[in-house]
Amino acid sequence: MGCLVTAHLKLAAIGAHPRHRERAKKEDLMSSFPRCAELIEMKPGKIAHAIAVLLSSISSLFADSTPSKAEPAKVKFSKKSNKLSEDLSLKADPISFSPGHVSAIRPDPGQRYPWKKSIVTTIFWIGEQPSGNNPVPNRTSSWDKDWTKNYGGFDDPNPARRSNYIPVKFTPRQNPFYCALPYNDKAHTGHRPEAPGVVPWFKEAYQGPAISTCKDRWIAIRKGNRTVYAQWEDAGPFRTDHWQYVFGNERPKPNLNKGAGLDVSPAVRDYLGLNETDVTDWKFVDFSEVPHGPWSTLGDNNTFVINERKKGKTLAEAWFSRSTSPVVK
């Protein structure tokens, strides 16, 4: 029995050193078997067991010397992984698809507000009737219950019935260069709880709980090499709570108008030469950054007009004061 153990150990040692296997296996095996004559005297059961051990060692030796083929890994696909693959394979139109987040947008040196680039832009107008993609009429705004009346009438978007950026039937009493962004700082009473923390100019513009700090704010809108300036007069499109986009770094949410994040008036459309659905860049601007242009001439809500009226009133008061002062002899 000792010879079988010796043979088994030698075979194991040979298997552990593949480089010496071919040279040593025949010599070691043959030198071990002559001493196995004692197997003849063993009982049949012991002989069978010893042979089985020996054959097992020999088979493992040759199994180690034969390269094995790796079985390809089996991959299980769940419904979730299949759905994810389908989602990743979809190709989204850059206009209709708006990712939820983008990396932080940093303004250029010296700029207070950064440009929000490649924003899907649609056209809306005061007095607009409800339609498929515009379920809410524009007779009123988020901040003016009598918007159409205070504007002076229906801001007809038909280019054939417009001249010099205004409708031909009347002269608007408010700035015809207006826009809408999807946030309203007002609540039923007072302001939304987040407004003081997210509206950058909230503190300086605050005039009490009944007045919006966003209404009439100026923004710059550009398309190609042209830039127009408009006043923020309504909340939309579709949402009134997306401050993360309006004041932060998020992109507009998906909606019926291809993910639109800005509505502009017919005057803005005509100045920039926009299509019904287009893509523009926009940013907030301080009034001191707004140059004179067609957006600076009309409107009781227009900062230019208000300042000119104040200036005119001051000059008139000064003239009246001088004309009524007693002459000193």
Side-chain angles (χ1 to χ4, degrees):
M1 185 64 184
C3 69
L4 290 176
V5 174
T6 302
H8 175 70
L9 292 175
K10 288 185 177 181
L11 287 170
I14 293 170
H17 299 281
R19 288 180 298 175
H20 305 295
R21 184 177 297 145
E22 295 299 326
R23 177 174 57 84
K25 64 182 179 180
K26 290 183 180 180
E27 297 175 359
D28 291 338
L29 286 173
M30 295 307 296
S31 63
S32 299
F33 279 110
R35 296 197 304 271
C36 294
E38 59 192 67
L39 287 174
I40 300 173
E41 300 177 358
M42 287 185 178
K43 293 182 180 180
K46 291 184 178 181
I47 294 175
H49 176 72
I51 292 174
V53 172
L54 180 61
L55 291 177
S56 176
S57 298
I58 295 173
S59 63
S60 64
L61 172 65
F62 287 101
D64 288 340
S65 64
T66 305
S68 60
K69 294 182 180 180
E71 184 179 353
K74 295 181 180 179
V75 181
K76 294 183 179 180
F77 292 96
S78 66
K79 291 182 179 180
K80 288 185 178 180
S81 63
N82 286 338
K83 182 65 171 63
L84 177 61
S85 299
E86 292 172 5
D87 291 344
L88 292 176
S89 66
L90 293 176
K91 293 182 179 180
D93 186 286
I95 289 183
S96 62
F97 176 73
S98 298
H101 295 79
V102 294
S103 58
I105 303 173
R106 295 184 179 180
D108 296 332
Q111 288 187 342
R112 183 178 179 185
Y113 306 108
W115 284 100
K116 296 182 183 294
K117 298 180 179 180
S118 301
I119 302 299
V120 176
T121 304
T122 50
I123 315 303
F124 82 133
W125 53 92
I126 297 173
E128 181 180 6
Q129 297 299 314
S131 62
N133 289 347
N134 178 41
V136 180
N138 289 326
R139 295 188 300 271
T140 65
S141 77
S142 294
W143 303 309
D144 188 349
K145 294 180 180 180
D146 298 314
W147 197 21
T148 303
K149 179 181 178 181
N150 292 332
Y151 185 75
F154 169 58
D155 193 18
D156 195 335
N158 189 335
R161 295 193 284 269
R162 300 183 67 84
S163 177
N164 294 324
Y165 306 111
I166 63 174
V168 296
K169 289 186 176 181
F170 67 97
T171 299
R173 294 197 295 266
Q174 292 185 356
N175 192 350
F177 290 81
Y178 54 88
C179 66
L181 293 169
Y183 181 73
N184 181 4
D185 63 328
K186 288 288 285 97
H188 290 296
T189 56
H191 294 81
R192 291 181 184 268
E194 78 280 352
V198 301
V199 180
W201 55 82
F202 186 89
K203 185 177 180 180
E204 64 189 70
Y206 185 78
Q207 300 180 53
I211 300 175
S212 169
T213 62
C214 296
K215 185 181 185 300
D216 298 329
R217 193 75 189 186
W218 287 90
I219 75 168
I221 308 166
R222 71 183 179 191
K223 175 71 175 180
N225 60 355
R226 289 179 69 82
T227 301
V228 68
Y229 296 84
Q231 288 181 273
W232 186 4
E233 298 299 332
D234 198 8
F238 296 98
R239 303 179 68 97
T240 62
D241 61 349
H242 198 187
W243 61 265
Q244 297 91 336
Y245 153 64
V246 176
F247 304 113
N249 297 322
E250 285 193 6
R251 298 288 294 180
K253 301 289 186 183
N255 55 50
L256 295 177
N257 279 342
K258 301 181 180 180
L262 174 66
D263 276 343
V264 298
S265 69
V268 173
R269 174 201 65 188
D270 296 342
Y271 188 88
L272 294 179
L274 300 179
N275 296 315
E276 183 178 353
T277 300
D278 216 315
V279 177
T280 66
D281 305 332
W282 73 269
K283 70 172 182 175
F284 291 114
V285 289
D286 292 324
F287 175 66
S288 60
E289 302 175 77
V290 183
H292 282 79
W295 48 82
S296 63
T297 60
L298 295 174
D300 295 338
N301 64 326
N302 192 319
T303 316
F304 287 97
V305 175
I306 293 171
N307 289 348
E308 286 296 323
R309 288 175 180 174
K310 288 180 179 179
K311 183 179 178 180
K313 183 179 179 181
T314 301
L315 291 174
E317 289 175 349
W319 178 86
F320 181 78
S321 177
R322 287 196 303 270
S323 63
T324 57
S325 297
V327 178
V328 179
K329 294 183 179 180

